[in-house]
Amino acid sequence: MTSENLIEISGLNFSYGTRAILKGIDMTMQRGKVIAIMGGSGSGKTTLLRLIGGVIEPTSGYVKFAGQVVHELERDALFKLRRKMGMLFQFGALFTDLSVFDNVAFQMREHTNLPESMIRDLVLMKLHAVGLRGAHHLMPNQLSGGMARRVALARSIALDPMLIMYDEPFTGLDPISLSVIGNLIRRLTDALGMTSIVVTHDVQESLKIVDYVYFIADGVIAAEGTPHEVRKSVAPFVHQFVHGEEDGPVPFHYPAQSYQKDLNLENTRA
Amino acid sequence: MPKRIVSGIQNIGHRVIESVWRLGVASRFFMLVLFKSGTSVRRFNLVIRELYFTGVLSLIIIVVSGLFVGMVLGLQGYETLQKYGSESAVGTLVALSLVRELGPVVAALLFASRAGSAITAEIGLMKATEQLSAMSMMAVDPVARVVAPRFWSGVISMPLLAAIFSVMGVFGGYLVTVVFIGVDEGSFWSQMQDSVDFRFDIMNGFIKSCYFGVAVTAIAVFEGYDAPPTAEGVSGATTRTVVTSSLAILGLDFILTAFMFRGVS
Amino acid sequence: MQRTTMDLWVGLFVVMGIAALMILSLKVGNLNVYNPSHSYVLSGNFENIGGLKVRAPVKSAGVVVGRVTDIQFSTQTYDAVVTMSMDSRFLFPKDTFASILTSGLLGEQYIGLAAGGDEVKLKDGDKIMKTNSAMVLEELIGRFLFNKASEDDSSL
């Protein structure tokens, strides 16, 4: 076993055309931990998840998952690898034409030859874990946002993956659903011995449940540490982010020429 | 002034390059769908499910339109033919126009706006709500699992719908001319059978509708899969499906007719 | 929607579609009248085919017994070679007479077969020797005028 690290990221670069999104990211993620990746909107967090899942290929550097370099895998090997990963999309991304039950059963039916009776038991177990066993017959459009997120969570743990990636799991939830999802992430990670990566900008909620935090800004890791360290950090960027201050290293104003110039004040005076 | 002319020519060039490029992308996608159709054959249930949405749900519009088109053809044909005293040929007129042209073409146009747009909207929405990404993260290929079954269901249902349209049309023509107006029933059918040929008229109409089915559903799945993942993107793609496939149907119809009936009266 | 209900509807749809194709072939088309899978080929040379077209019917005593499949111009005899596909249920004697006729005054043209008395029947690939060309209106009128003129001449 190559140490306790499930994921090793080294020198990762990615750019869309000439626009660099990620510039040299190094990370390690240990088994059984919940890791948060934070950063402002558009800082490349979701891109990082897509790189880990092998949806896109890095410009340079690599992502190693369980000892395998993701972007060097053949299609079949990549698909095999993805069965060990789960992903929770921002709004759940449930299949709208399938019932809750069939959504959770989807991967089991696609990837295994389990008898229908066993699939039924497994699905009900997964749904029970997220507290929605009673909703198995509903269609996705009958669910509230928080419930849909929980069903999606049950779906992503259907094949007991080693890793689950959460893309903005807290967006648009009421406070109750928010802490329900947060606690579920922690509990499931511990109970199933998985690793979880939570991409979020919900600082307060995620600091309660995670083991380690990375801050990404402008494509590089701006800061990292345990929640305790992060809360105490005096680094200006982290301080601004954690406390939600309006101005700081991340400026309030988009770069522009001087305000006076834009309003033609200099001209009129001249 | 020359600057405007140059920019105008540039504009034309840009559009041509753009559309050729898009055609290339679409053809590559089409090949990909064909290449990944194995799942649809192995798990035919997926296709049957889609047949319900593309075929069964299009039935009503096809049956009703077919009936009315046939009735109008019968009425107009009778009005014209009776001037020459050959109103018994109205069966021939109705059947030939339906089987050769109107059946395949009108059914395909209706199919494009009923089922084609639905396919585009569905795939586009699945893309916009990240369902396709989720599927591919679950190691299930969305082209094989979502796109190919929809494509094949369209290819299967189009010729069947066209045949139902033609039969309803002939029945409509029969209703108007024989039952209401009182054209002799025997000569209605016999003249029709005399001049409608199995090989040249019915088979060619059938082949036409097969081509239309491939064209319409290929355009529909491509537009859906290619749609920008936003609400405007999906609605734009749906409109493009209807417009592009209608034009494709009419263009293909001309080409196929030219090939099939060349040298034959 | 229940799987079984959906299956039922799809099944009904497919059955309807196939039934429609059958109706088109049998009731609207002429698949029952003339089945090309059991056929034999005859040909005949005609001096003038008039407006005869490929797929025109071949009739005997008013019954369709075959169809014209091909019309070619022969550079050896300078006339038209008409190929017919005949229903194999109907065999004709060797001395059958083929003529190009018109149904009604302005109707389509077809080939009429009048059976002779020969014991030997025509086989696949045979040639009908006795043919009669199509009536061409101009020739008809011309002949009529010529006859009229000669009548007038003789009466003088």
Side-chain angles (χ1 to χ4, degrees), chain B residues 49-122:
Chain B
R49 212 191 110 81
E50 298 310 324
L51 268 175
Y52 178 81
F53 293 105
T54 53
V56 176
L57 295 187
S58 309
L59 261 182
I60 291 190
I61 189 169
I62 290 286
V63 165
V64 174
S65 319
L67 197 65
F68 277 103
V69 166
M71 281 160 68
V72 169
L73 271 179
L75 213 55
Q76 293 280 19
Y78 178 80
E79 284 299 317
T80 312
L81 287 171
Q82 62 138 3
K83 288 182 191 156
Y84 306 102
S86 42
E87 60 266 24
S88 59
V90 72
T92 309
L93 180 109
V94 170
L96 272 186
S97 16
L98 277 167
V99 167
R100 277 190 182 185
E101 283 296 332
L102 291 176
V105 171
V106 178
L109 290 175
L110 292 171
F111 183 76
S113 36
R114 172 68 186 77
S117 60
I119 289 175
T120 305
E122 202 185 7

Side-chain angles (χ1 to χ4, degrees), chain B residues 30-49:
Chain B
F30 180 60
M31 296 312 289
L32 191 72
V33 172
L34 291 187
F35 183 69
K36 290 183 175 172
S37 294
T39 315
S40 309
V41 179
R42 255 176 287 122
R43 294 172 57 189
F44 200 68
N45 267 333
L46 294 175
V47 182
I48 289 181
R49 212 191 110 81

Side-chain angles (χ1 to χ4, degrees), chain A residues 242-267:
Chain A
V242 172
H243 296 94
E245 287 159 356
E246 188 181 40
D247 216 346
V250 178
F252 170 70
H253 288 295
Y254 192 84
Q257 56 183 335
S258 88
Y259 194 30
Q260 290 182 331
K261 214 174 191 177
D262 260 358
L263 296 182
N264 284 332
L265 291 176
E266 285 169 3
N267 285 353

Side-chain angles (χ1 to χ4, degrees), chain B residues 146-224:
Chain B
V146 173
V147 176
R150 282 169 175 74
F151 172 73
W152 287 109
S153 76
V155 172
I156 294 172
S157 42
M158 184 67 256
L160 299 180
L161 288 171
I164 292 171
F165 185 94
S166 294
V167 167
M168 289 315 296
V170 171
F171 178 67
Y174 168 84
L175 267 188
V176 167
T177 55
V178 175
V179 179
F180 297 160
I181 298 179
V183 172
D184 180 54
E185 181 169 358
S187 56
F188 179 87
W189 291 114
S190 65
Q191 289 229 9
M192 185 190 296
Q193 287 176 351
D194 250 12
S195 43
V196 179
D197 186 76
F198 176 74
R199 165 83 187 71
F200 281 90
D201 298 320
I202 293 169
M203 276 316 283
N204 278 351
F206 180 76
I207 292 167
K208 263 188 190 176
S209 58
C210 291
Y211 275 100
F212 294 161
V214 172
V216 172
T217 32
I219 290 169
V221 293
F222 173 70
E223 288 291 356

